[in-house]
Amino acid sequence: MLDTTALESFPSLISHGINVAGEISAPPSFQLPNSNDFDGFVKETIQMVKPAKGTTTLAFIFKEGVMVAADSRASMGGYISSHSVKKIIEINPYMLGTMAGGAADCQFWHRNLGIKCRLHELANKRRISVTGASKLLANILYSYRGMGLSVGTMIAGWDETGPGLYYVDSEGGRLKGNRFSVGSGSPYAYGVLDSGYKYDMSVEEASELARRAIYHATFRDGASGGVASVYYVGPTGWKKLSGDDVGELHYHYNPVTPSTVEQEMVEAAGP
Amino acid sequence: MTKQHANWSPYDNNGGSCVAIAGSDYCVIAADTRMSTGYNILTRDYSKISHLAEKCVMASSGFQADVKALQKVLSARHLTYQHQHNKQMSCPAMAQLLSNTLYYKRFFPYYSFNVLGGLDSEGKGCVFTYDAVGSYERVGYSSQGSGSTLIMPFLDNQLKSPSPLLLPAQDAVTPLSETEAVDLVKTVFASATERDIYTGDKVEIVILNASGIHRDFMDLRKD
């Protein structure tokens, strides 16, 4: 059944015996349109509303922990609605989630997941595992399957069993793995990531690989761009390693050296 | 038996543009006052700006019936908050509330494109920009609505500050003074009015700073 924990926003207002307002004390539920053709309606609204999506995110496990990287562009159709979106979401100090697909869907459900993880800690006096957290999210998304949510996320963290990485999507899929890339730029990121990956990398080598993979994806994919952020998750939690504008990274990886003809022209022009 | 499609839509687009700019100790929020439907102008004098909390102002374009409903929900929730906590909601708190309120209608969205502007707890200007289903982000400046594709590139050119995601972090405060920011907003609306049929008539400019709230109007082309 649908997960409605996100909707219980008025517990303090419901006084037993006093009906503050019919709507507030009714069982929580998402409002649905009165339509015979729900799928068609949802398709039309999504086209009209054009929620922000299009992205490149990646994460991989290596000897020292988990490396997570993402771009920062949000596109609405062909319009770039933001170049500074935080696509790596800090669920808690030792777990990260990535955002791909609908920005609102990812932001909302990751925040909800953070709340659930905190409640788990309070109820069980221990941190939740990455396995558990990803399962919580996957179950929520499965309950909304077919209703038009668009979420392609990776849950990366460090728990008692060491580094953990799961891919979770809005179809209800949940996969455990060592290397994932999600989003419209993922084919390009996979190309760089797969060819450069070694399990025995140092943190510097791994972060450089992640940065390069995001850069190459932003270069070829129109829906990716902005700032390439790289995070590292180790035994003491996550740490942001770098945030570089991909325009500047381009000239860092492809320095401009004047050709001999241009050099002569510069010299001929004189001081 | 083929599926029946609805012969009417619950939504309409009343057009209009909104802008907000955050400064070091002020925030400017502006919206035009034209309300249209199709090629018709319904009124030249409609306010798209709502004063949600003492230091928090929202401007919304899109479908004004949904905007009005959204404003009512938010002010009711703010009143409840004031009764429960004996204080006004801060701008970042209102920003989160607006995001959740929009997402609760994820499957039947408010057709409302919002910018929220105000002062944070340190007195610095803050602007939050939203999509129709609640994804939000704190930025230095933003525009939404029918003229936003015309306005945003100009604001990027004049105001673009280093991304907050860069590491090592770079200072991202808009260097403009309050009067310069207001002039920029007037220029931006005058330009948008030239090329967007849904923007025009008047622009309502609200300035929030330490001394309170100030409202100003400027005439725009009425054609």
Side-chain angles (χ1 to χ4, degrees), chain A residues 19-39:
Chain A
N19 196 354
V20 176
E23 245 208 12
I24 296 176
S25 57
S29 64
F30 277 111
Q31 269 184 306
L32 296 174
N34 295 325
S35 166
N36 290 327
D37 177 24
F38 182 77
D39 291 321

Side-chain angles (χ1 to χ4, degrees), chain A residues 6-7 9-10 12-13 30-33 36-37 39 41 45-46 48-49 51-52 72 76 79 82-86 103-105 107-109 111 144 147-150 227 229 240-245, chain B residues 3-6 9-11 77 80 84 96 99-100 103-111 113 129 131-139 141 143-144 148-149 152-153 156 160 163-168:
Chain A
L7 295 160
S9 50
F10 296 102
S12 53
L13 290 179
F30 277 111
Q31 269 184 306
L32 296 174
N36 290 327
D37 177 24
D39 291 321
F41 184 83
T45 4
I46 294 298
M48 181 192 73
V49 156
S72 69
M76 274 168 62
Y79 180 68
S82 173
H83 34 232
S84 54
V85 177
K86 274 194 79 168
D105 293 334
Q107 272 185 7
F108 185 88
W109 290 112
R111 187 163 185 266
Y144 286 102
M147 296 185 71
L149 291 187
S150 171
V227 168
S229 303
K240 180 162 182 177
L241 293 181
S242 68
D244 300 292
D245 185 288
Chain B
K3 255 190 187 161
Q4 276 209 313
H5 282 264
S9 164
Y11 295 110
R77 286 301 306 274
T80 310
Q84 290 178 335
Q96 182 76 70
S99 172
N100 286 338
Y103 199 82
Y104 287 158
K105 294 241 307 151
R106 169 66 174 76
F107 301 115
F108 190 179
Y110 288 109
Y111 189 6
F113 296 96
T129 189
D131 73 359
V133 279
S135 100
Y136 80 113
E137 202 200 335
R138 181 170 175 174
V139 287
Y141 58 91
S143 79
Q144 293 281 359
S148 65
T149 47
M152 217 37 191
D156 281 334
K160 180 157 185 186
S163 170
L165 299 175
L166 289 173
L167 198 72

Side-chain angles (χ1 to χ4, degrees), chain B residues 7-27:
Chain B
N7 48 16
W8 70 280
S9 164
Y11 295 110
D12 187 15
N13 188 351
N14 300 120
S17 313
C18 316
V19 167
I21 299 176
S24 52
D25 62 348
Y26 66 88
C27 188

